[in-house]
């Protein structure tokens, strides 16, 4: 199995460190990149497209972030769909248990699941092998 690229877009630095360690323990990913808000993640994505680099396979996306939240990121990702040469699987990773957020996540075809924090090694293994 080819190792995948995963991006974590989350404004919580401590969470980023913890989830990166969990991802590393699975040994299923070749690259782990972290971004502090949707805008940083989006700019990185645009650069990857421009430079014809390898897009991430999976994005773990927080909803509540400053500058650009998860929903705004998803709107912008939708606009980039025409220039993406592959599908990027997005998983919401949120501490929000609001049913509205879970329901809203189902309205985006690119969002394959909703993971409640804290994310476990098992969660990461499941999304890594979900083809």
């Amino acid at each position: 199995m080819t190792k995948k690229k995963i991006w974590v877009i989350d404004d919580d630095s401590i969470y980023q460190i913890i989830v990166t360690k969990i991802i590393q323990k699975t040994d299923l990913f070749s690259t782990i990149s972290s971004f502090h808000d949707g805008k940083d993640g989006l700019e990185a994505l645009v650069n990857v497209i421009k430079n014809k680099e390898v897009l991430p396979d999976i994005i773990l996306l927080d909803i509540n972030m400053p500058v650009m939240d998860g929903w705004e990121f998803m709107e912008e990702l939708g606009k980039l769909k025409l220039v993406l040469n592959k599908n990027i699987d997005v998983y919401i990773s949120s501490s929000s248990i609001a049913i509205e957020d879970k329901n809203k996540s189902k309205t985006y075809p690119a969002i394959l699941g909703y993971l409640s924090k804290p994310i476990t090694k098992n969660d990461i293994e499941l999304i890594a092998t979900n083809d």
Side-chain angles (χ1 to χ4, degrees):
M1 185 173 95
T2 314
K3 288 191 176 184
K4 298 180 176 185
K5 287 181 71 159
I6 188 167
W7 286 13
V8 178
I9 303 176
D10 198 301
D11 61 318
D12 182 338
S13 302
I14 293 161
Y15 170 75
Q16 276 191 6
I17 293 165
I18 293 166
V19 82
T20 298
K21 284 190 182 346
I22 292 168
I23 293 166
Q24 287 167 340
K25 278 186 184 151
T26 67
D27 199 32
L28 295 169
F29 295 90
S30 58
T31 318
I32 307 163
S33 303
S34 296
F35 305 93
H36 285 285
D37 60 57
K39 188 170 184 281
D40 286 349
L42 190 69
E43 286 170 358
L45 200 56
V46 168
N47 284 332
V48 166
I49 293 165
K50 264 192 211 153
N51 300 325
K52 297 189 177 9
E53 294 166 12
V54 180
L55 290 162
D57 298 288
I58 296 172
I59 295 177
L60 289 180
L61 182 64
D62 188 21
I63 296 172
N64 299 311
M65 297 178 285
V67 188
M68 178 186 279
D69 69 18
W71 304 127
E72 292 166 322
F73 176 85
M74 288 307 300
E75 292 299 324
E76 295 303 316
L77 181 64
K79 293 175 190 170
L80 291 174
K81 202 140 185 68
L82 297 172
V83 291
L84 294 177
N85 57 5
K86 74 173 183 184
N87 282 332
I88 300 171
D89 296 339
V90 179
Y91 290 87
I92 297 293
S93 67
S94 179
S95 46
S96 166
I97 53 166
I99 196 74
E100 303 83 48
D101 287 337
K102 286 187 179 172
N103 287 340
K104 188 171 183 177
S105 74
K106 291 177 184 146
T107 67
Y108 293 90
I111 298 177
L112 296 194
Y114 193 102
L115 306 171
S116 295
K117 291 179 186 175
I119 289 179
T120 65
K121 186 173 175 235
N122 190 39
D123 290 333
I124 299 298
E125 288 166 347
L126 283 172
I127 66 173
T129 54
N130 181 15
D131 281 327

